[in-house]
Amino acid sequence: MLKINPPPSYYSDTQLSAYLLRIGLPSAIDHKPSLDNVQTLIRHYITTVPFENTEMLYSGFLDCDPQAVYTRIVENKMGGTNCHGLHLLLLGMLLKLGYRGYFIMARINQKRGPPEVINLGNLDHSAIVLQVPGESEPYFVDTGMALGFTRPARLAVDFEFDGFAGRRYRFVKARHPESPVTGEEGEDWRLQMNMDMDWNLYPKSVWRTVMQFSMQPFSVKDLLNSTWLVQHNPGHILRKGLVVMMFTENEKGVVVGQKSIVPSGTTVTLRTEARLEVLQEFGDEEGRIAVLKDEFGIVCPADAKASTSGRLYVSWSMKLI
C-alpha cells in the first residue's frame, strides 16, 4: 500500500474558502476528505475552470507559480491555464483540505496512427497521485488534457473505468520502448483508452496508449521548470494555436458535454454522448475574441483586435465573468 506523508499546502485558509466559492462549493458544507467529496470538488473544478493557453499564446509567457495561478483563476477570474497550473492549484487546495498527494510527470503518446505504434514525447505533462481516506489504492487525477476524465481513477493494473462520451480507460504496466532496463524494474504505468484521438471506437480488446508515467514524485519547482520548457518549444501544441476546453454539466450536476477550441480550428464544438455539435464559427481575431466571451466567459479589452492584428504573440489582459 502506498503511503504518502502529509505535505504542507502553499495556500491559506482564506485562499481555500475563496477557491471553493470560485468553483461553486460553499465552504460551510462538509469537505472532509473522502472519495465522494473529492469527486464532487473535481466535477465543480472542471466545469468552472477551463484548460486553456490564452496567457501563453497572447503574451508569450505563462506564469504557473502557485500564487500567480491562484491570482489569475480565483482572484481575477481571468480564465484557466495549462495542465501544470491547473494541477498546482488543485493539489494545493486538496492538501489544505487534508488529502495526501503529489505530482507526477507523464509522456504523451504523439502517434495518431495504429494503436500498437507509440511515440512517447517529452516529459511535459503533469497529473496527481492522490491518497483518499478509506481507500487501499491511490487514485490518478488529471484535469489538464480534457481526455474525458471527470473523476479520480483508481490506480491499479488492468483496472478499467468509464470516461466521458463513451471513452473507456485502463492502466497497465509496460517498459518505455527505449528503456535499457528489463524486467519489472523497467516497467512504468501506461494509461490506455479504447478510442483514437478522433473518438473512433476500436474493436474490443484493442487499446491505444495515451501516456506513460512513473510513480516518482515531482515538486512545484519541477513543474515550473517544465512550464518554461513548454513555452520555449515552438513545436509544442500549446504554442501552435488557441486551445480552450471545458466540461459542461446539466441541472442534476452530471457532466454531459465538453466545449472545445482546438489549434488551427475556427469553430467552438460541443461533444456529448450522442453527437459533436458546432456551436459557433469564427474566421478572424475579432470572431475569436467574441467566441471567448460567448462560450467561455472570457472578456477581452475593447482594443484587443487592434493589438493582435497581424501578430501571433501579443499582450492583452482578460477577465472572466
Side-chain angles (χ1 to χ4, degrees):
M1 178 178 178
L2 179 68
K3 293 185 179 181
I4 304 174
N5 291 326
S9 175
Y10 30 81
Y11 294 124
S12 67
D13 291 337
T14 300
Q15 288 177 312
L16 173 61
S17 296
Y19 167 79
L20 294 174
L21 182 63
R22 170 73 173 86
I23 65 172
L25 279 176
S27 57
I29 68 174
D30 178 25
H31 293 291
K32 182 179 179 180
S34 70
L35 185 57
D36 286 343
N37 282 345
V38 74
Q39 288 175 340
T40 299
L41 186 147
I42 289 175
R43 174 174 56 81
H44 278 255
Y45 190 42
I46 64 176
T47 56
T48 304
V49 180
F51 168 79
E52 50 106 333
N53 68 333
T54 52
E55 186 179 15
M56 181 188 299
L57 186 65
Y58 288 100
S59 72
F61 176 73
L62 177 62
D63 191 351
C64 279
D65 176 85
Q67 300 306 323
V69 173
Y70 173 85
T71 298
R72 173 178 173 80
I73 294 177
V74 180
E75 286 189 349
N76 295 341
K77 300 179 181 178
M78 294 174 68
T81 182
N82 73 337
C83 61
H84 295 346
L86 291 175
H87 291 139
L88 282 161
L89 180 61
L90 177 60
L91 181 58
M93 295 305 174
L94 291 175
L95 296 176
K96 196 64 183 176
L97 285 168
Y99 293 90
R100 301 184 182 193
Y102 61 86
F103 303 111
I104 57 173
M105 297 291 289
R107 300 179 188 274
I108 302 299
N109 182 14
Q110 310 290 324
K111 195 71 175 180
R112 297 184 64 91
E116 66 273 11
V117 180
I118 66 173
N119 177 22
L120 297 173
N122 297 328
L123 199 66
D124 60 9
H125 179 64
S126 63
I128 295 171
V129 171
L130 194 68
Q131 196 168 54
V132 180
E135 301 292 325
S136 60
E137 293 170 302
Y139 278 74
F140 178 88
V141 177
D142 189 346
T143 65
M145 275 187 65
L147 285 170
F149 275 69
T150 59
R151 60 183 185 275
R154 183 164 58 89
L155 189 53
V157 175
D158 293 328
F159 173 67
E160 297 184 18
F161 57 99
D162 293 327
F164 169 75
R167 282 187 169 176
R168 191 162 177 80
Y169 299 89
R170 72 174 183 177
F171 293 112
V172 298
K173 300 293 286 291
R175 291 175 57 251
H176 188 291
E178 299 176 6
S179 174
V181 182
T182 61
E184 293 183 1
E185 293 80 3
E187 291 184 343
D188 286 334
W189 289 88
R190 279 187 186 172
L191 172 67
Q192 299 181 323
M193 69 179 180
N194 67 338
M195 291 183 178
D196 65 18
M197 295 304 292
D198 296 315
W199 299 78
N200 298 308
L201 187 67
Y202 287 133
K204 189 176 181 180
S205 301
V206 176
W207 298 85
R208 176 186 183 274
T209 294
V210 178
M211 67 178 76
Q212 184 156 331
F213 59 92
S214 74
M215 296 294 283
Q216 176 185 346
F218 286 81
S219 67
V220 171
K221 184 177 181 180
D222 293 327
L223 267 65
L224 296 180
N225 289 337
S226 177
T227 298
W228 188 91
L229 293 173
V230 167
Q231 61 189 347
H232 286 82
N233 177 4
H236 198 278
I237 188 172
L238 296 182
R239 288 281 305 274
K240 291 182 177 180
L242 183 66
V243 181
V244 185
M245 299 181 183
M246 187 167 68
F247 288 103
T248 63
E249 61 181 353
N250 61 19
E251 65 280 357
K252 296 181 180 179
V254 177
V255 175
V256 294
Q258 183 188 82
K259 290 195 294 186
S260 306
I261 302 176
V262 298
S264 303
T266 57
T267 61
V268 179
T269 59
L270 175 65
R271 182 174 293 279
T272 63
E273 190 81 31
R275 60 181 178 175
L276 178 66
E277 175 185 358
V278 175
L279 299 180
Q280 288 203 47
E281 297 183 6
F282 57 91
D284 54 23
E285 194 62 40
E286 183 177 13
R288 185 200 309 252
I289 291 169
V291 159
L292 288 172
K293 177 182 178 180
D294 294 344
E295 298 295 343
F296 299 94
I298 299 175
V299 178
C300 315
D303 62 349
K305 180 184 176 183
S307 298
T308 60
S309 179
R311 300 166 59 194
L312 179 60
Y313 300 107
V314 299
S315 178
W316 45 274
S317 60
M318 300 179 294
K319 63 180 180 178
L320 189 69
I321 58 172

